[in-house]
Amino acid sequence: MRALLVANPAATTTSARTRDVLTHALASEMKLEAVTTEYRGHARDLGRRAAEHGIDLVVALGGDGTVNEVVNGLLHNGPDPERLPRLAVVPGGSTNVFARALGLPNDAVEATGALLDALREQRERTVGLGLAAGTPGTEDESVPARWFTFCAGFGFDAGVVGRVEQQRERGKRSTHALYVRQLMRQFWEEPNRRHGALTLERPGADPVTDLVLSIVCNTSPWTYLGNRPIYASPEASFDTALDVLALNRLSTPTVARYATQLLTSTPERGPRGKHAVSLHDLTDFTLHSKVPLPFQMDGDHLGLRTSVRFTGVRRALRMIV
């Protein structure tokens, strides 16, 4: 088996020594090339090269951002599960939502052991992914399409992600306390929290208007607060298309209510109420905004957008699990 290990040296929970141990463990079982990423987008370039050169397996060692880049490289020319390299993930970030949603251990060493067991036992599954692109006929129509593995956000939650990234660029560590502080700041400074600017359009249904935030989920849980899973859309799955949780109001009582519901959410019960909109298994839909709003995918802030077209693609990529 020809394999490529793509390792992010800036991953927050792995050291150089840990990466060396993992590399030797994997190299003992396969013909392995190990590459350390050197710039933003390098993992995407490596994933594309692996797809074009007939590599059998790509192992992404890093956080959700590294995995997202590798996936976008592998799917540069579109999904083809039978032809493309298989993907394996060894979590090395602070949250590792995608890896944990696949049922992998959150420890890099344990996840490597699970990966080697899965290879010996030939365990794999095909997962669905989300695709976000600029909407034809809008000022964002030229924005390149990009795949996401577990979530995208348009509006409030993307603003929180953007604030966290700014703090990290200033040297702050990515902690859950940092996210909570930036969430509160985003709430108090959010200009559209009472009258939302977002509209969701989908074929065969009336538009859903005046939304303040929209969270698009490709799996469940949506994220983790420490070891606590958070279920924004409990029915979301790698085996279906996309789910949406949207809110049309963000007053203080509403935020308190839905924050509590998120913190106590379960695989059977997520946020609900008159200000919440929950949609399941959507293949095609579009989110439009009256004003430019923050947009994020897989925890990566992508700037401001006015319109995004979403597609849920079942059976997009094979995973070793």
Side-chain angles (χ1 to χ4, degrees):
M1 176 180 289
R2 297 173 60 210
L4 172 67
L5 171 65
V6 179
N8 180 2
T12 56
T13 59
T14 55
S15 64
R17 178 175 294 181
T18 301
R19 290 194 297 274
D20 288 342
V21 170
L22 300 181
T23 300
H24 287 302
L26 293 171
S28 67
E29 300 286 338
M30 62 193 75
K31 184 178 180 181
L32 181 73
E33 177 188 2
V35 181
T36 300
T37 57
E38 299 176 356
Y39 54 87
R40 189 180 181 93
H42 193 184
R44 179 195 62 234
D45 295 341
L46 293 168
R48 180 179 179 180
R49 189 189 77 181
E52 293 172 347
H53 291 191
I55 297 296
D56 300 304
L57 171 68
V58 177
V59 182
L61 170 56
D64 290 310
T66 302
V67 175
N68 180 279
E69 285 195 13
V70 170
V71 166
N72 275 277
L74 290 173
L75 274 64
H76 176 78
N77 293 316
D80 189 346
E82 301 308 315
R83 180 187 64 83
L84 290 174
R86 289 168 290 174
L87 175 66
V89 176
V90 177
S94 57
T95 310
N96 308 307
V97 178
F98 182 59
R100 294 164 81 174
L102 287 167
L104 298 173
N106 199 36
D107 176 80
V109 175
E110 291 185 17
T112 301
L115 165 60
L116 293 174
D117 288 343
L119 287 169
R120 295 184 190 110
E121 298 169 12
Q122 299 184 334
R123 294 199 314 265
E124 62 179 60
R125 64 176 293 189
T126 304
V127 299
L129 298 172
L131 182 66
T135 306
T138 71
E139 61 185 71
D140 291 326
E141 67 178 341
S142 62
V143 175
R146 180 165 168 173
W147 297 89
F148 60 96
T149 62
F150 64 92
C151 84
F154 198 12
F156 179 83
D157 82 298
V160 175
V161 170
R163 287 175 177 271
V164 169
E165 286 193 5
Q166 289 178 348
Q167 294 299 312
R168 293 187 66 183
E169 290 172 358
R170 296 170 184 168
K172 300 287 187 180
R173 292 184 63 245
S174 178
T175 64
H176 295 100
L178 176 63
Y179 274 89
V180 172
R181 289 197 301 271
Q182 300 313 311
L183 185 150
M184 296 306 299
R185 290 175 181 172
Q186 179 71 20
F187 171 71
W188 291 115
E189 297 176 18
E190 172 60 57
N192 303 299
R193 59 183 172 141
R194 292 188 180 276
H195 302 286
L198 288 167
T199 295
L200 186 151
E201 296 180 351
R202 53 188 168 132
D206 293 334
V208 183
T209 61
D210 301 325
L211 302 173
V212 180
L213 68 80
S214 57
I215 299 169
V216 182
C217 295
N218 185 49
T219 188
S220 191
W222 162 51
T223 190
Y224 289 82
L225 189 60
N227 290 321
R228 180 193 293 271
I230 305 296
Y231 299 91
S233 298
E235 291 185 286
S237 166
F238 289 127
D239 298 319
T240 61
L242 301 174
D243 283 26
V244 177
L245 170 68
L247 299 180
N248 59 23
R249 189 176 178 84
L250 277 183
S251 64
T252 302
T254 303
V255 168
R257 181 183 310 116
Y258 289 114
T260 300
Q261 289 183 0
L262 279 170
L263 289 172
T264 58
S265 58
T266 68
E268 293 76 33
R269 190 172 179 83
R272 63 273 175 201
K274 66 179 182 179
H275 296 299
V277 177
S278 296
L279 302 172
H280 176 57
D281 198 16
L282 303 184
T283 302
D284 296 286
F285 63 97
T286 303
L287 286 166
H288 301 284
S289 176
K290 301 173 185 175
V291 296
L293 291 178
F295 180 61
Q296 66 87 12
M297 288 199 297
D298 287 349
D300 186 11
H301 187 264
L302 301 179
L304 301 178
R305 301 281 179 86
T306 57
S307 184
V308 184
R309 182 177 181 179
F310 291 90
T311 305
V313 180
R314 298 178 178 87
R315 298 186 54 80
L317 193 63
R318 288 189 299 169
M319 301 288 309
I320 299 296
V321 290

